[in-house]
Each structure stands twice: as structure tokens, then as C-alpha cells.
């Protein structure tokens, strides 16, 4: 009988947790974070009259090489792990007037990224996150010496 009670209580707790994850998706409730089902990361080229070459990936996924003209955007989607929210996606960027390879963590759970739609703009000075009010929060590049236009992430 005691085993039955323990089983019922465990199932009830599991059901409660599943319902919370399903219904809250990406919101903070009483200080707890529940990741969204899908995160979209959008990158827009805001370089002045320069084509942008980029390469994004994480430990498991590689989104390949992309080329964006000025004003063009490209996006990718992923599903955060709800039980171990440590997602990290990083990109390398190059353009003709700068021989360095610019690297940036485009989505980092540890940095505090908690967005469903994460919009970024690439500028010569760094990568800027577009905030909900339209303002930009800019970050400096992690740049590596002369890359000879090789996007090796």
C-alpha cells in the first residue's frame, strides 16, 4: 500500500512539472525559468556597403556558411533542452575590409539570453542585440588575427 502511495505522488509531481513546462514556455514564473519550445536566432547584416560571410554552430549542429548582402537577414532555429538549459551557439564573421576572423556567442544561456525571437545586427564594431524597445545592446568582437577570408569556426 505504501508503494502505491509513493507511486501516485511521484506521478502527480511529474505531471505537474510537465504541465508547467508545456504551458509556460519561455517565461519566468516565481524566479524559475522555463525555456521556450523553439528559439529563433536572426542575424542581419548592418555593415556599410559590405557583404557579410558567417558560419554558425553549436556542439551538435552546424548551420554551414552563409553570405548576406547589406540589409539581408538569415535565421536558424533550435530547441533548448528544458532539463539542462545551457545552450550555446557561436558564429564566425568576416568581410572584405577586415582580415580578422570575428567570433561571437550569438546565443548563450549563461549570458542571460532568454528570448524566443533573438534578433542580432552585425556592425563593424561588434554584434548588437535588438531589444524589445528597438534599442541595441552591443558587444565587442572576439577577433582572431589574419584569417585570409577563411571562416573556420
Amino acid at each position: 500500500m505504501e508503494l502505491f502511495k509513493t507511486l501516485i505522488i511521484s506521478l502527480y509531481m511529474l505531471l505537474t512539472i510537465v504541465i508547467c513546462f508545456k504551458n509556460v514556455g519561455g517565461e519566468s514564473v516565481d524566479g524559475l525559468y522555463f525555456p521556450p519550445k523553439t528559439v529563433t536566432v536572426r542575424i542581419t547584416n548592418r555593415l556599410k556597403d559590405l557583404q557579410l560571410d558567417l558560419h554558425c554552430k553549436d556542439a551538435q549542429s552546424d548551420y554551414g556558411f552563409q553570405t548576406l548582402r547589406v540589409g539581408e537577414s538569415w535565421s536558424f532555429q533550435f530547441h533548448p533542452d528544458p532539463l539542462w538549459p545551457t545552450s550555446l551557439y557561436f558564429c564566425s564573421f568576416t568581410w572584405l575590409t577586415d582580415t580578422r576572423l570575428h567570433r561571437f556567442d550569438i546565443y548563450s544561456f549563461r549570458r542571460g539570453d532568454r528570448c524566443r525571437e533573438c534578433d542580432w545586427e552585425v556592425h563593424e564594431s561588434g554584434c548588437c542585440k535588438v531589444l524589445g524597445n528597438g534599442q541595441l545592446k552591443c558587444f565587442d568582437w572576439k577577433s582572431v588575427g589574419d584569417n585570409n577570408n577563411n571562416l573556420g569556426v
Side-chain angles (χ1 to χ4, degrees), residues 43 52-58 60-68 74-76 89-93 151-153:
I43 302 167
L52 174 68
D53 295 317
L54 64 109
H55 183 199
C56 297
K57 63 183 186 175
D58 76 340
Q60 291 82 34
S61 304
D62 187 332
Y63 294 101
F65 297 95
Q66 310 297 323
T67 299
L68 300 177
W74 171 78
S75 63
F76 66 91
Y89 287 81
F90 46 94
C91 300
S92 293
F93 302 90
L151 278 177
V153 174

Side-chain angles (χ1 to χ4, degrees), residues 103-106 111 113 120-121 123-131 136-142:
R103 295 178 186 235
F104 185 72
D105 295 340
I106 204 77
R111 181 178 56 221
D113 293 335
W120 291 91
E121 293 184 354
H123 298 265
E124 287 89 346
S125 59
C127 212
C128 301
K129 187 170 189 175
V130 181
L131 304 176
L136 300 177
K137 181 177 182 182
C138 296
F139 299 86
D140 291 333
W141 293 116
K142 297 175 189 171

Side-chain angles (χ1 to χ4, degrees), residues 16-31:
T16 302
I17 291 170
V18 167
I19 289 171
C20 286
F21 274 105
K22 180 175 176 48
N23 292 332
V24 178
E27 303 298 326
S28 177
V29 176
D30 296 330

Side-chain angles (χ1 to χ4, degrees), residues 65-112:
F65 297 95
Q66 310 297 323
T67 299
L68 300 177
R69 292 181 297 220
V70 176
E72 279 189 328
S73 297
W74 171 78
S75 63
F76 66 91
Q77 294 182 325
F78 66 94
H79 304 283
D81 183 348
L83 301 178
W84 197 254
T86 58
S87 299
L88 174 63
Y89 287 81
F90 46 94
C91 300
S92 293
F93 302 90
T94 60
W95 54 90
L96 286 177
T97 61
D98 194 333
T99 59
R100 294 172 295 164
L101 177 68
H102 302 284
R103 295 178 186 235
F104 185 72
D105 295 340
I106 204 77
Y107 184 94
S108 172
F109 184 86
R110 288 192 178 142
R111 181 178 56 221

